[in-house]
Amino acid sequence: MISISASALAYRIGTRDILTDVTFALEDGDKLGIVGVNGSGKSTLLRLLVGEYTPDEGSVTIAKSKTIGLLHQDDAFHVLDENGASANGKEPVDDTVLTQMYAIFPELCRAEKRLAQLQNELDEATAAGDDTLLARLTTEFTNLNNRFIADGGLYYKSRCQSILVKLGFDESYHRRSVSTLSGGQRTRLALARLLSREPDILLLDEPTNHLDTGTMLWLEEHLAAYKKTVLVISHDRLFLDRVTNKTLELEHTKSRLYKCPYSRFVEEKQKWRAEQEKKYQLQQKEIARLEAYIAQQRAWNRERNIIAAESREKAIARMEKVERPENLPQNIRFALTSSGESGNDVLEVKNLTMAFGTNVLFRDLSFLVKKHDRLFISGPNGCGKSTLIKLLLGQLEPI
C-alpha cells in the first residue's frame, strides 16, 4: 500500500527553480534516503511533503489516516503546554525534559488526569452511598480507561523514558529544565520526542548531527527495525546503507528514484549515465546521417528528392529524443594558505578546568599539540568537546 507519494512536484523562489518534476512513491515500511549536493532542495522537499511549504506545481498524497512527523535539521525545541501546543511563553509550563516528552501525548496526559479525578469522585460517591452518581462515574471511568489502554496509556511513559536513555539522556537529565540544555541537546530531545510518538511516516533531516557514536548506532538499529515509512536526509553513507532500502537523488532540480541503498545507488547512477551517454551518441550519429542525406537530396532539388528529404525530416521529428546526461554538480573548491612555519610546540594546554555552575565538564585537562599533528577529539554528547574548541579560540574563559 502506498503511504506517501509526490507527483510532478515543483517549487520556486522568485524566478529560481528549486525543484521541478519531483515524482516518487513509497510503500508502507519503505526506508528512503534523500541525497544531493548542498542546496539541491532536500530540506525544501521535506517541508513540501508535510505541508509547511506550498508547491507551485504538482501534488503530495498521503494515505488516509496516516500520521506524519518531521525533524528539521538543527531543530529548535518547542516547549509544549498540556494540550500539546507550542507554549510560546504564553504562561508558565512544566519544561522539564521528562514532562516535555510526555507532552507529545496530550490526549493520554488529559485522560490520565481525568481518570485520577474520576477515581477520587468514585471514592467519595461510594462513601456517600450515592448509587446513581456511582453508576454514572463507573461508566465514564470504564469507557475512558478502556480507550486509554487501547491508545497505549499503560506504556507511553516507559517508552519515553527508554528512548531518552537510548539518546543519551540518563535519569540525571529527566528533571532538568529544557532551557538548561545546549542547542545540540535540544535537537536531540526533539528527535527523542518524535521517535516516542512513532508516526506512520517519519521524516528526518540530518538526524545524526548531534549524536555520538554509541547513540548513532542505536538510532541505526532503531530505524532499520522501524515497521513504518521513513524518509531521511543524511550525508553519512554508512548510516544510509544500514537504514535505507531506496534512494531519491535530487540533482539539477529534478529527481530520480533508485530501489537500492546508497552504495548501490552510486554504482547504478554511474551505469545509467554511461548507458544514457551511449544512447545519446548513437542517436546523434543517426540524426547526423539523416541530415546529411536530407542536404544531399535537397541539393539535387528534383521532386522525388524533395519528397525523400521531407520524409527523413519527418522521421527526425518523430524521434523520441534522448537527453544527454547533465554535467555532475561541481565539487566544492577551496584553498588553505599557510601562515608560515610555526615552532615545534603549536598548542599546549595545562590543567584546564571548565564548568557551568555545578556542571563540571572536565578537570585538569592537559595535552600538547606539535607541528604537523592531527588531533581527533572524541567523547559522548555533553562531555565538553565544543566547549574545549571555544576555550582554545578564546571565546570562553576557563575556570
Side-chain angles (χ1 to χ4, degrees):
M1 176 182 175
I2 300 297
S3 61
I4 185 169
S5 64
S7 177
L9 213 56
Y11 186 76
R12 303 179 187 88
I13 297 179
T15 59
R16 181 189 168 209
D17 287 332
I18 305 299
L19 298 171
T20 59
D21 195 25
V22 173
T23 299
F24 68 91
L26 299 178
E27 297 181 355
D28 289 337
D30 271 343
K31 309 290 195 306
L32 179 73
I34 302 174
V35 300
V37 298
N38 289 330
S40 60
K42 300 185 296 296
S43 298
T44 298
L45 175 58
L46 294 191
R47 290 176 182 268
L48 288 167
L49 294 178
V50 299
E52 290 185 8
Y53 290 172
T54 302
D56 293 300
E57 296 172 19
S59 61
V60 174
T61 303
I62 298 172
K64 189 176 180 180
S65 77
K66 295 288 187 185
T67 57
I68 188 166
L70 167 62
L71 176 79
H72 295 290
Q73 186 176 356
D74 298 320
D75 208 349
F77 186 87
H78 297 289
V79 173
L80 303 181
D81 61 21
E82 61 182 7
N83 296 314
S86 182
N88 290 328
K90 292 179 291 188
E91 58 184 53
V93 295
D94 188 341
D95 73 339
T96 57
V97 168
L98 194 56
T99 303
Q100 282 300 302
M101 286 289 290
Y102 297 158
I104 201 68
F105 299 96
E107 66 286 355
L108 293 178
C109 292
R110 287 195 297 270
E112 201 167 32
K113 187 175 181 180
R114 179 56 182 157
L115 286 170
Q117 292 174 342
L118 285 171
Q119 187 59 62
N120 289 333
E121 292 174 16
L122 280 167
D123 293 342
E124 293 173 0
T126 301
D130 190 336
D131 293 339
T132 303
L133 178 60
L134 189 62
R136 181 178 64 79
L137 291 174
T138 299
T139 299
E140 183 182 354
F141 183 92
T142 301
N143 292 338
L144 181 59
N145 191 54
N146 288 340
R147 191 162 66 249
F148 178 74
I149 293 172
D151 292 342
L154 297 182
Y155 57 83
Y156 82 98
K157 286 186 174 180
S158 60
R159 187 168 73 209
C160 286
Q161 293 170 20
S162 174
I163 287 179
L164 275 177
V165 172
K166 297 293 186 183
L167 284 176
F169 295 101
D170 59 30
E171 291 188 7
S172 66
Y173 283 94
H174 293 184
R175 299 301 171 189
R176 280 179 57 177
S177 169
V178 171
S179 62
T180 66
L181 301 180
S182 68
Q185 288 173 324
R186 289 164 72 95
T187 300
R188 204 154 28 97
L189 186 57
L191 173 61
R193 199 158 64 176
L194 186 60
L195 293 178
S196 296
R197 188 69 187 184
E198 292 187 347
D200 297 313
I201 303 170
L202 180 62
L203 290 77
L204 302 173
D205 192 349
E206 296 287 0
T208 63
N209 271 1
H210 299 282
L211 304 184
D212 56 36
T213 304
T215 307
M216 188 162 63
L217 289 174
W218 174 83
L219 181 62
E220 287 176 1
E221 294 173 358
H222 183 81
L223 293 179
Y226 200 70
K227 301 298 184 185
K228 303 173 183 179
T229 305
V230 177
L231 294 83
V232 59
I233 296 171
S234 180
H235 292 286
D236 186 329
R237 304 178 206 179
L238 289 176
F239 179 81
L240 291 172
D241 276 342
R242 290 167 179 163
V243 170
T244 65
N245 67 329
K246 292 183 179 179
T247 302
L248 183 75
E249 184 189 33
L250 300 180
E251 187 175 85
H252 299 301
T253 77
K254 298 181 177 65
S255 70
R256 181 172 293 276
L257 181 66
Y258 296 82
K259 296 182 179 180
C260 55
Y262 184 85
S263 292
R264 276 186 53 205
F265 142 73
V266 173
E267 298 172 1
E268 292 292 326
K269 180 183 177 180
Q270 290 174 343
K271 187 186 302 181
W272 174 83
R273 286 182 62 85
E275 291 174 353
Q276 194 75 357
E277 179 69 27
K278 183 177 180 180
K279 290 177 183 177
Y280 173 80
Q281 294 296 347
L282 288 173
Q283 187 177 69
Q284 291 301 305
K285 186 176 179 179
E286 175 63 10
I287 290 173
R289 186 187 68 80
L290 292 173
E291 287 175 341
Y293 178 83
I294 291 168
Q296 184 184 59
Q297 294 298 315
R298 287 196 176 279
W300 289 340
N301 201 28
R302 299 191 190 96
E303 183 178 353
R304 63 177 181 173
N305 300 123
I306 297 298
I307 292 172
E310 289 175 348
S311 174
R312 298 305 190 278
E313 287 172 343
K314 290 177 182 178
I316 292 175
R318 286 195 300 269
M319 279 185 184
E320 185 176 342
K321 300 299 187 294
V322 177
E323 290 188 13
R324 188 174 196 172
E326 295 189 63
N327 293 331
L328 294 171
Q330 289 187 349
N331 291 328
I332 294 174
R333 296 181 181 182
F334 59 90
L336 299 178
T337 58
S338 173
S339 59
E341 281 291 312
S342 69
N344 285 325
D345 295 344
V346 176
L347 170 68
E348 186 173 13
V349 173
K350 288 184 177 180
N351 303 322
L352 189 67
T353 297
M354 189 60 188
F356 292 99
T358 59
N359 181 26
V360 179
L361 295 179
F362 43 79
R363 192 187 302 278
D364 295 330
L365 180 64
S366 299
F367 61 91
L368 175 66
V369 180
K370 289 184 172 291
K371 184 165 62 175
H372 303 309
D373 275 352
R374 302 290 187 269
L375 183 68
F376 176 54
I377 303 173
S378 177
N381 287 320
C383 71
K385 300 185 295 296
S386 298
T387 299
L388 174 60
I389 296 294
K390 292 177 182 178
L391 287 166
L392 298 180
L393 290 171
Q395 295 177 358
L396 293 175
E397 288 292 326
I399 299 299

